[in-house]
Amino acid sequence: MKILFNRNNSISIFWLLLLLAVGAVSCIKDEYAENKEKATVQVTFTTRAVSDGTIVGNELADNERMKTLRVIVAKGDKILYNEYYTGDDFAENGNGQRYKTVTFSELVTEDEVDRTFDFYAIANEGGIADWPAQITSLEQLPENITLSTTSALIPQTAKQSITVEIPQEDSGIQKKTMQLEFVVAKVQLIVVNESETEQTLTNISLSNADVNNPQVPLFPSEQSDLSVGDKDVMMSEMRLSRYGTSAQTAYVYENKAPTGGYVFNATWNGDSRPPVDLSSVENLPRGKELRITIHLKQNSTVEFNYEVLDWTNVEVDIPDFE
């Protein structure tokens, strides 16, 4: 029997064979890709723990708590993730600490040599002056920042390079934690009136504890060359009822004390008191708090204490007076 092939049959058979070949190669590639081990990294972004092991949570003032969070993951100059979260997205542990855990899957495969990524975290970005409306490039992240004059939010930031591990330990998920840090320092003034009469403090200031032209990096760094304080911190008048307590807060750009040191000034009930030299305070780095506590005694004497602490908003323990 004689089988005849015409030109159309030959073309059809050719394309059929070609499609079968491509399909076979495609299956091989898919199988190869499925066998490639891809890593998953889970990062928890949180406010820091203070040195005594407690967690900063409910102790923070409302404008200091994490209200928004931007997370950027980059490889070199290329942004791979740019995620934005608000308060509804955060989890909160028992002591009020807010945090956000984000899972980044399939970042790399085992044949990639460079498996290091840069993770950027910015909380409360609305508190930074001239912050970009949209971020499409790392070049838009400002090197130095100032606080916004239209928002009371205090920003917190962190930057960390994370090398993805392949294979994953125990075939699990690689977990990391990034603690954010405040971009400024804090001054907290607490006045306790232990006398039977009302007290008024006016003309309250802390000399050279801020910076006129700050050069404050967006992210914490190891820099030791802080700007020298050259701007006075002016604080509001304080009126205290008998046996009353009052407190107020100021935020300052990180700086180091000038040659003359920081000096506290105030007028009590119209009488100027001698300035108080805060000689032991050498600098005010970001994330730290200068706490000044004044006790006004029954016999018109004043007890003045100050110390530099990790940033908190601890309730003042006021003794009961007879």
Side-chain angles (χ1 to χ4, degrees):
M1 182 173 64
K2 188 176 182 180
I3 300 176
L4 298 177
F5 290 92
N6 58 32
R7 184 172 181 273
N8 290 335
N9 286 337
S10 299
I11 293 174
S12 299
I13 293 172
F14 172 78
W15 282 110
L16 178 61
L17 293 174
L18 181 61
L19 288 172
L20 290 173
V22 170
V25 172
S26 176
C27 290
I28 293 173
K29 286 185 176 180
D30 289 343
E31 183 179 357
Y32 176 76
E34 290 175 359
N35 289 333
K36 283 286 189 181
E37 183 176 5
K38 294 186 177 182
T40 296
V41 178
Q42 189 178 82
V43 184
T44 297
F45 302 90
T46 180
T47 50
R48 58 164 171 73
V50 297
S51 58
D52 65 359
T54 60
I55 304 295
V56 175
N58 288 327
E59 295 84 2
L60 295 179
D62 185 63
N63 64 314
E64 299 168 356
R65 303 194 73 193
M66 188 162 61
K67 299 296 185 70
T68 67
L69 176 67
R70 182 176 300 279
V71 175
I72 295 175
V73 182
K75 185 80 169 289
D77 295 332
K78 183 180 179 182
I79 293 179
L80 304 178
Y81 290 90
N82 183 0
E83 307 295 331
Y84 183 77
Y85 305 99
T86 61
D88 293 337
D89 300 316
F90 301 142
E92 189 171 298
N93 61 26
N95 57 16
Q97 180 196 33
R98 292 178 182 174
Y99 63 92
K100 177 63 180 177
T101 299
V102 185
T103 301
F104 304 93
S105 60
E106 299 186 349
L107 285 176
V108 294
T109 55
E110 60 185 349
D111 59 346
E112 294 185 58
V113 177
D114 183 6
R115 300 199 293 266
T116 299
F117 297 80
D118 292 322
F119 287 72
Y120 303 82
I122 304 99
N124 298 344
E125 63 184 42
I128 300 175
D130 302 319
W131 186 258
Q134 292 185 337
I135 297 178
T136 58
S137 167
L138 292 179
E139 295 179 351
Q140 292 176 273
L141 296 178
E143 181 178 355
N144 295 309
I145 59 170
T146 57
L147 293 182
S148 170
T149 58
T150 59
S151 173
L153 290 177
I154 302 300
Q156 305 172 47
T157 64
K159 178 183 176 182
Q160 183 176 334
S161 294
I162 296 177
T163 300
V164 178
E165 299 169 358
I166 290 183
Q168 295 279 289
E169 185 176 351
D170 298 326
S171 300
I173 297 176
Q174 184 176 346
K175 297 181 179 181
K176 295 289 185 179
T177 298
M178 286 181 62
Q179 289 187 158
L180 280 68
E181 187 56 86
F182 294 104
V183 301
V184 290
K186 177 178 178 178
V187 177
Q188 188 171 54
L189 174 61
I190 303 166
V191 183
V192 181
N193 183 11
E194 299 180 12
S195 71
E196 296 179 348
T197 60
E198 295 182 353
Q199 301 283 342
T200 301
L201 275 69
T202 57
N203 302 322
I204 306 171
S205 69
L206 190 61
S207 65
N208 298 319
D210 204 355
V211 183
N212 275 297
N213 297 301
Q215 295 294 310
V216 181
L218 173 60
F219 298 102
S221 65
E222 299 299 326
Q223 66 166 5
S224 57
D225 187 21
L226 296 176
S227 300
V228 176
D230 60 357
K231 180 181 179 181
D232 294 347
V233 178
M234 308 303 298
M235 306 189 81
S236 303
E237 175 182 302
M238 302 175 74
R239 294 182 179 273
L240 293 97
S241 60
R242 56 195 299 266
Y243 301 129
T245 300
S246 182
Q248 61 175 304
T249 299
Y251 302 100
V252 301
Y253 296 108
E254 56 182 355
N255 68 88
K256 62 182 177 181
T259 302
Y262 306 122
V263 178
F264 179 85
N265 297 277
T267 299
W268 286 309
N269 293 334
D271 296 328
S272 295
R273 297 295 181 98
V276 180
D277 181 12
L278 282 60
S279 57
S280 65
V281 181
E282 297 180 354
N283 54 52
L284 292 174
R286 69 170 65 199
K288 294 292 184 177
E289 172 191 324
L290 171 59
R291 184 181 301 171
I292 301 171
T293 306
I294 302 172
H295 290 260
L296 307 177
K297 302 291 187 176
Q298 291 278 16
N299 56 4
S300 298
T301 60
V302 176
E303 180 183 306
F304 190 97
N305 298 291
Y306 64 91
E307 56 185 336
V308 176
L309 306 167
D310 284 303
W311 186 312
T312 60
N313 193 39
V314 177
E315 294 292 332
V316 184
D317 184 16
I318 307 300
D320 293 329
F321 300 109
E322 297 297 335

